[in-house]
Amino acid sequence: MKICCLGAGYVGGPTMAMIAHKCPHITVTVADINEARIAAWNSDELPVFEPGLDEIVMSSRGTNLFFTTDKVTAIREADVIFVSVGTPTKTYGAAAGRAADLKYVELCARDIAAHSDRSKIVVEKSTIPVRTAESLKAVLCANSSDSISFQVLSNPEFLAEGTAMEDLDDPDRVLIGGEETPEGKAAMETLAGVYATWISRDKIIQTNLWSSELSKLVANAFLAQRISSINSISALCEETGANVDEVASAIGKDSRIGSKFLKSSVGFGGSCFQKDLLNLVYLCEHFGLPEVAQYWRSVIGMNDWQKRRFSNRIINSLFNTVNGKRIAILGFAFKKDTNDTRESPAIYVGRDLLEEEASLAIYDPKVTSDQIYLDLGAKSEPNHEEKIEVCSDAYEAVEGAHALAILTEWDEFRDLDYRKIYDRMMKPAFIFDGRNIANRKELIDIGFNVYAIGR
Ligand SMILES: NC(=O)c1ccc[n+]([C@@H]2O[C@H](COP(=O)([O-])OP(=O)(O)OC[C@H]3O[C@@H](n4cnc5c(N)ncnc54)[C@H](O)[C@@H]3O)[C@@H](O)[C@H]2O)c1
């Protein structure tokens, strides 16, 4: 069997690497239009940082795993084609800021139709709105000869960045949606057979297309909702003297609630939660359900408020002005163990502080300085560039700083020498722990003014 994947991003790259690693009998080709990204996948410095990814890629690359910009050949030779391109929130025209922009997905469908000379299975790996498979099939059929047919499957990806390789190796479930026809069922079985090479059959769920597409949006909406729920309680804890981590631990012991995704923080980020929630909101509006739309929109509203609340806390604590003050920012990725910064709370907090004329000294173990400058509008916003310094470690960032803000929960930030940090900072020295990872009592004993979330 030959598999091709269009899109070598955070999902396409790791997912295909795992299939190639687990299925030596399958040739997997990942094609992307971004030449620099493909060159990086073919180098020693992969474009995506994920614990364990390098080893998995190196185990198969050049044997049965290939990265290429030649999508025509990749499409022509494949029996199964995954579409794993971006589906960002639309920024223009009707439903801008809410609906998913499906232009990349549609372009893939047109390429597949143009370069296929036999019947194929097309798998939606990208997260897309409900009933996109129908549109994909319409584009595929209208642009190919009558002698070939396409089965479109939905196979949403549930991996979490930072633990992608573990999630792919041992997923909670694999979801495959397809048409309820003999051909649709056969196609689902073909894809299920690939996953069954290493995943037990009882974890491979087969549903109709629309259930599968909707389940992905709903899964992300529920996960984001838990974070917004506990973050709303963090504000109440700060007012009442309760401790949000103690509350989360106490409620998480209830098996009906469960302990995961109850960690309060400066807010959720990542490329998916906000985009998929907006998508769900738009679907609800489209289907005439404004109350349901409003319910899910408030999850995003709470997240925006939490990020703003954190920036305001920094400004208020520093005697209502950060103008000209150096603020050290530890962590820029949207979570630990990834180099992805999309929708990272650090971007929002950083921009708020820059607007207030602060100077930022930023350190992140995996995010490049180019990415940090880009995200903070160094080139596009007046005066931003000279106010941003990207540092090579935490101690350099805190040198002469008035405050330190921890914005990503990288493990190395737990073990810093906070006495040494205190000595290097201006006094009074402030710490704003947006991830509740530092030892609050120890910091207070050293002499810091400490703000942690929900305490
Ligand atoms: N990132 C995650 O954690 C995650 C998890 C689950 C699902 N998803 C979904 O998976 C999809 C992909 O997300 P991602 O994070 O990998 O995005 P990404 O932006 O990292 O990667 C998308 C890639 O597609 C390429 N591309 C665009 N048009 C193309 C075309 N016509 N042919 C070939 N390549 C093309 C881009 O150059 C880019 O490299 C999205 O729908 C996302 O919602 C993401």
Side-chain angles (χ1 to χ4, degrees), residues 263-338:
K263 182 79 183 149
S264 187
S265 72
V266 57
F268 61 72
S271 64
C272 294
F273 281 1
Q274 174 160 314
K275 154 177 94 69
D276 294 348
L277 271 163
L278 285 167
N279 212 329
L280 187 65
V281 166
Y282 178 64
L283 273 177
C284 296
E285 285 170 352
H286 177 79
F287 287 105
L289 301 167
E291 291 80 2
V292 187
Q294 181 49 34
Y295 177 75
W296 289 107
R297 191 184 287 108
S298 69
V299 173
I300 302 173
M302 180 55 58
N303 196 49
D304 290 340
W305 184 70
Q306 185 78 347
K307 288 181 283 190
R308 226 172 22 251
R309 207 164 74 79
F310 191 81
S311 321
N312 287 342
R313 178 64 69 127
I314 296 177
I315 296 159
N316 297 343
S317 305
L318 295 183
F319 316 107
N320 288 317
T321 178
V322 289
N323 189 320
K325 292 180 180 168
R326 180 178 169 99
I327 316 276
I329 304 259
L330 296 193
F332 204 78
F334 83 93
K335 66 194 292 199
K336 74 170 182 176
D337 292 338
T338 178

Side-chain angles (χ1 to χ4, degrees), residues 5-13 31-34 37 48 71 83-88 104-105 107-108 111 125-128 156-161 216 220 271-272 275-276 334 340 342:
C5 175
L6 299 177
Y10 282 86
V11 169
D32 202 296
I33 50 176
N34 182 330
R37 211 163 210 188
V48 168
K71 58 183 172 173
V83 176
S84 187
V85 297
T87 48
Y104 305 107
V105 172
L107 283 172
C108 288
D111 275 339
K125 184 52 101 178
S126 299
T127 304
I128 41 203
E157 185 48 61
F158 293 101
L159 67 78
E161 288 176 35
K216 174 64 193 176
N220 273 354
S271 64
C272 294
K275 154 177 94 69
D276 294 348
F334 83 93
D340 194 351
R342 289 176 291 182

Side-chain angles (χ1 to χ4, degrees), residues 54-119:
D54 285 27
E55 294 84 331
I56 297 286
V57 169
M58 301 314 164
S59 73
S60 314
R61 198 175 65 188
T63 308
N64 68 326
L65 173 66
F66 302 92
F67 295 93
T68 181
T69 51
D70 180 5
K71 58 183 172 173
V72 174
T73 308
I75 290 170
R76 192 173 294 135
E77 291 184 346
D79 307 295
V80 177
I81 302 172
F82 286 78
V83 176
S84 187
V85 297
T87 48
T89 306
K90 227 175 143 210
T91 53
Y92 54 88
R98 288 173 297 151
D101 190 342
L102 295 176
K103 73 177 170 197
Y104 305 107
V105 172
E106 185 179 329
L107 283 172
C108 288
R110 289 183 187 277
D111 275 339
I112 293 167
H115 304 299
S116 294
D117 49 14
R118 61 194 160 85
S119 299

